[in-house]
Amino acid sequence: MSFSPLIRQLIDAFRILPGVGQKTAQRMALQLLERDRSGGQRLAQALSQAMDGIGYCRSCRSLSEEEICHLCSDLRRDESLLCIVQGPMDVYAVEQTGYRGRYFVLKGHLSPLDGLGPETIGIPELLGRINQGAFREIILATNPTVEGEATAHYIAQILADQELLISRLAHGMPLGGELEMVDGGTLSHALAGRRPIQV
Amino acid sequence: MSFSPLIRQLIDAFRILPGVGQKTAQRMALQLLERDRSGGQRLAQALSQAMDGIGYCRSCRSLSEEEICHLCSDLRRDESLLCIVQGPMDVYAVEQTGYRGRYFVLKGHLSPLDGLGPETIGIPELLGRINQGAFREIILATNPTVEGEATAHYIAQILADQELLISRLAHGMPLGGELEMVDGGTLSHALAGRRPIQV
Ligand SMILES: [Zn+2]
Ligand SMILES: [Zn+2]
């Protein structure tokens, strides 16, 4: 290995990023060192501030540096709709469709074999949130995968005795796909065509 | 835009990396925040240390945190060979072939139209380095592009009156390609088949 210790350390550190292998990490490290040191310093500071400063919104459980995130504290949003997603990236994807109701962010999906039960993914907090609100409809926007469908079905069951319309994103999304990878038009159609769920 | 200010700042900062667009930057930011905060902190620190601490080796002009890099200070290397490359990444590529002579790293290639003349790319420092050494052969390992060939030809000309064998990497490398993208086997053949240059 012919890189100096500090360069090796930087290349190794870049490899924690999704989709970044050895060769890409080398290009990233050397390109910053050769062409954009101030950009590299800005990235270092942005990383440090984000890793330290960002927690979870007490209301929707999405990532936020405020106790209540800017979406939850926006009073102009529709209080009758709650959209449940599997992760913070999905909030961004749904927001792009023009949806302006409320959100709740689960910590992933149910997966009993991996020890991911209702408590782990935040179902108690979800029930607390629903009881605090005055929702008319709960939109289950978990991924259209086996686990996402199972999670949606589980939530629909535990909410069945409440006076709530429970809906699911319309199919039209590719089966086995991930919400955050779907283009905005497809997701808009899926959201517009959401249907009541049967339990 | 539905991300909080600190997350937006992190996504923007990731976009300075080569090959990273908006969607990739989002995935990087959220994946670190959700799954690997300590990795994110390590990356922040590695970046900060590298951007601050890495300069250029006084001897070969490659990136190094020491005044003389670990390759130049290694006494076991062949003092009769000097390999001239266009950038630090190329040192790594040539080193992978098993070459164990000395290096000199230019700052890119000559490009008069862009104002990149001999002084800008480090030709005076190269001549100083050659005069300090006791080289028998100078290997011109600039890229096999029009600009790389022109740079090699220019250096061959100014060294023509010295008692030096001037060689060029054998063709066999893809024309128009970049040294750092070539696989090790091709580069090994090109290095082994290097030929005297005609001026
Ligand atoms: Zn919130
Ligand atoms: Zn050196």
Side-chain angles (χ1 to χ4, degrees), chain A residues 1-10 13-14 16-18 20 22-24 26-34 36-56 63-65 70-71 86-93 95-96 105-107 178 180-183, chain B residues 1-10 13-14 16-18 20 22-24 26-34 36-56 63-65 70-71 86-93 95-96 105-107 178 180-183:
Chain A
M1 183 60 96
S2 64
F3 294 117
S4 74
L6 280 187
I7 301 179
R8 267 208 306 276
Q9 172 181 289
L10 180 56
F14 271 128
I16 65 162
L17 296 174
V20 174
Q22 178 67 18
K23 206 126 205 198
T24 305
Q26 286 174 19
R27 291 183 80 91
M28 288 174 167
L30 295 197
Q31 182 153 325
L32 286 187
L33 286 167
E34 288 270 277
D36 195 2
R37 297 226 181 179
S38 66
Q41 287 289 14
R42 275 199 310 282
L43 177 55
Q45 205 180 354
L47 272 165
S48 173
Q49 287 177 350
M51 299 301 129
D52 272 350
I54 294 174
Y56 292 91
L63 292 163
S64 170
E65 61 259 36
H70 64 298
L71 294 180
Q86 289 185 201
M89 195 80 170
D90 301 330
V91 171
Y92 178 75
E95 194 70 3
Q96 297 290 89
V105 181
L106 299 172
K107 289 207 172 301
E178 290 185 344
E180 68 188 54
M181 301 303 289
V182 167
D183 68 285
Chain B
M1 182 61 100
S2 65
F3 294 118
S4 74
L6 281 186
I7 301 179
R8 268 207 306 276
Q9 170 181 289
L10 180 57
F14 271 127
I16 64 162
L17 296 174
V20 174
Q22 179 66 20
K23 207 127 205 198
T24 306
Q26 286 174 20
R27 292 182 77 90
M28 287 175 168
L30 295 196
Q31 182 153 325
L32 285 186
L33 286 166
E34 289 271 275
D36 194 1
R37 299 229 180 179
S38 66
Q41 286 289 16
R42 275 199 310 280
L43 176 56
Q45 206 180 353
L47 272 165
S48 174
Q49 288 177 349
M51 299 300 128
D52 272 349
I54 293 174
Y56 292 91
L63 293 163
S64 170
E65 60 259 37
H70 64 299
L71 294 180
Q86 287 185 203
M89 196 80 171
D90 301 329
V91 171
Y92 179 74
E95 194 69 5
Q96 297 289 91
V105 180
L106 299 172
K107 289 209 172 299
E178 290 185 345
E180 67 187 53
M181 301 302 289
V182 168
D183 68 284

Side-chain angles (χ1 to χ4, degrees), chain A residues 106-125 150-151 154-155 158:
Chain A
L106 299 172
K107 289 207 172 301
H109 53 67
L110 292 174
S111 182
L113 292 180
D114 302 315
L116 301 175
E119 284 75 22
T120 323
I121 70 165
I123 299 296
E125 290 84 355
T151 305
Y154 175 85
I155 296 170
I158 59 175

Side-chain angles (χ1 to χ4, degrees), chain B residues 57-62 64 67-73 103:
Chain B
C57 171
R58 265 207 331 204
S59 177
C60 71
R61 317 297 295 177
S62 190
S64 170
E67 217 174 318
I68 301 294
C69 78
H70 64 299
L71 294 180
C72 288
S73 56
Y103 291 100

Side-chain angles (χ1 to χ4, degrees), chain A residues 39-189:
Chain A
Q41 287 289 14
R42 275 199 310 282
L43 177 55
Q45 205 180 354
L47 272 165
S48 173
Q49 287 177 350
M51 299 301 129
D52 272 350
I54 294 174
Y56 292 91
C57 170
R58 267 209 328 205
S59 177
C60 71
R61 316 300 294 178
S62 190
L63 292 163
S64 170
E65 61 259 36
E66 310 286 347
E67 215 174 319
I68 301 294
C69 77
H70 64 298
L71 294 180
C72 287
S73 56
D74 181 350
L75 299 175
R76 295 162 304 178
R77 300 184 70 99
D78 187 339
E79 301 288 348
S80 72
L81 291 175
L82 182 70
C83 179
I84 301 177
V85 293
Q86 289 185 201
M89 195 80 170
D90 301 330
V91 171
Y92 178 75
V94 174
E95 194 70 3
Q96 297 290 89
T97 70
Y99 172 84
R100 291 295 179 268
R102 297 297 178 186
Y103 291 100
F104 189 88
V105 181
L106 299 172
K107 289 207 172 301
H109 53 67
L110 292 174
S111 182
L113 292 180
D114 302 315
L116 301 175
E119 284 75 22
T120 323
I121 70 165
I123 299 296
E125 290 84 355
L126 170 63
L127 296 179
R129 177 72 184 94
I130 289 172
N131 289 336
Q132 275 168 22
F135 300 113
R136 184 178 48 79
E137 178 176 354
I138 308 290
I139 304 169
L140 298 169
T142 51
N143 284 334
T145 56
V146 173
E147 298 87 354
E149 297 286 356
T151 305
H153 197 258
Y154 175 85
I155 296 170
Q157 272 183 317
I158 59 175
L159 295 177
D161 58 347
Q162 300 200 27
E163 288 282 316
L164 289 165
L165 179 63
I166 316 283
S167 61
R168 180 92 179 98
L169 291 183
H171 280 299
M173 299 171 63
L175 283 171
E178 290 185 344
L179 212 73
E180 68 188 54
M181 301 303 289
V182 167
D183 68 285
T186 307
L187 191 55
S188 295
H189 275 103

Side-chain angles (χ1 to χ4, degrees), chain B residues 107-179:
Chain B
K107 289 209 172 299
H109 53 68
L110 291 174
S111 181
L113 293 179
D114 302 316
L116 301 176
E119 284 74 26
T120 323
I121 70 166
I123 299 296
E125 291 84 354
L126 169 62
L127 296 179
R129 177 71 184 94
I130 289 173
N131 289 334
Q132 276 169 23
F135 301 113
R136 183 177 48 77
E137 178 175 354
I138 309 289
I139 303 170
L140 298 169
T142 52
N143 284 334
T145 57
V146 172
E147 298 88 354
E149 297 286 357
T151 305
H153 198 259
Y154 175 85
I155 295 171
Q157 271 183 317
I158 59 175
L159 295 178
D161 57 349
Q162 300 201 26
E163 289 281 316
L164 288 165
L165 179 63
I166 316 282
S167 61
R168 180 91 179 98
L169 292 183
H171 279 301
M173 300 172 59
L175 283 171
E178 290 185 345
L179 211 75

